[in-house]
Amino acid sequence: MTDIWYDCDTGYDDMITLVLLAHQPDVRLLGVSAVVGNTTLANTLRNTLRVVDAFRIQAPVHAGATKPLAAEPCTIEGLLGEDGLGARGTGLPATDRRPEPQHAVPALIDCLRAHPGQVTIVATAPLTNIALAVRTAPDIVPKIRELVFMGGGVGRGNHTAAAEFNAYADPEAGQVLCDSGIPLRMFGLNLTNQTLIDASFEDAMRAAGGPVAEALAHHTDFYLRIRDKDKNVPMPLHDPNTAVYLAHPEFYTFRPARLDFETTGRLTRGETVCEFRVPRKAAPNAQIAITADSAAVTSYWTNEITSALTALRTAAA
């Protein structure tokens, strides 16, 4: 059994990641934290609660940071929809489910202290919540089994020429973690651009049947049109690689590196700098995902999501 804390800024691919984590029989989801990222904390928290309610996920949800460590929030509602979870048609319904009263940072600290050495943190958002926890309670560092995160990349960015969005949104947080001694495993754009979805993924959602499946298909329809309005160009599905890795690490290859986040560059803020010449040039602090068995990855997440949707429909019958 793998104990997981999931930190997210729930938009489309965070939603898929959360469902995959909850659906894995060997995962115990100890907590979920929302953070400002793709959109405001109010939106990411609301979206997270919608997902856990719709998919009947039994995990506490905590509200986290409303702003990055050292900058103002940088949100992208214009790309992902006004609430960060766009849909063409009716999306997941609103929910009355409420977050836990405890803030995400002390909740994460308490969780790590209660399960020392057992918890893997999966993060698919700016790393603000995790960095705040480390700054607040440095004693948790050796208690973290690993931090598996989607962010950064080797090569070009997507938010700027140099930087991937999550890394750009709070590079100071990323650097806190690079310097912390926590074992890091990075799934960057160089990896996630290898794992694509197209209209067949939407079709699989709809074929599963039921109102949640239909809502998820509407969200998928919106996501697939971000790159091409006619859905003729496949879209990378970034965040779920972190969840797939937990179930099937053999789908990926990694290289050790010294990882750092650029925090001061005028043109390169948020760039993730990977020094692969280790240990000659630097001591490694991260494993960097390099290649994916793309067919195996996409087959896995399609099967798992449709299985989760089918289980929901059957339970509601």
Side-chain angles (χ1 to χ4, degrees), residues 116-186:
Q118 299 176 25
V119 179
T120 296
I121 300 173
V122 176
T124 58
L127 295 166
T128 314
N129 283 340
I130 319 303
L132 286 170
V134 167
R135 279 187 169 181
T136 302
D139 66 284
I140 66 173
V141 167
K143 295 177 171 60
I144 299 171
R145 183 176 179 181
E146 187 174 42
L147 170 58
V148 178
F149 71 97
M150 189 280 136
V154 181
R156 65 183 179 86
N158 62 356
H159 190 66
T160 69
E164 178 273 334
F165 174 80
N166 286 342
Y168 181 87
D170 198 346
E172 286 79 12
Q175 192 57 41
V176 166
L177 300 173
C178 287
D179 293 335
S180 70
I182 297 170
L184 305 175
R185 190 170 298 272
M186 185 180 91

Side-chain angles (χ1 to χ4, degrees), residues 1-6 21 24-32 108 111-122 143-148 246:
M1 184 68 68
T2 302
D3 289 336
I4 298 295
W5 184 282
Y6 181 45
L21 289 172
Q24 289 182 21
D26 293 333
V27 161
R28 182 167 62 160
L29 194 55
L30 299 179
V32 179
L108 174 57
C111 178
L112 293 167
R113 287 173 174 166
H115 305 278
Q118 299 176 25
V119 179
T120 296
I121 300 173
V122 176
K143 295 177 171 60
I144 299 171
R145 183 176 179 181
E146 187 174 42
L147 170 58
V148 178
L246 295 176

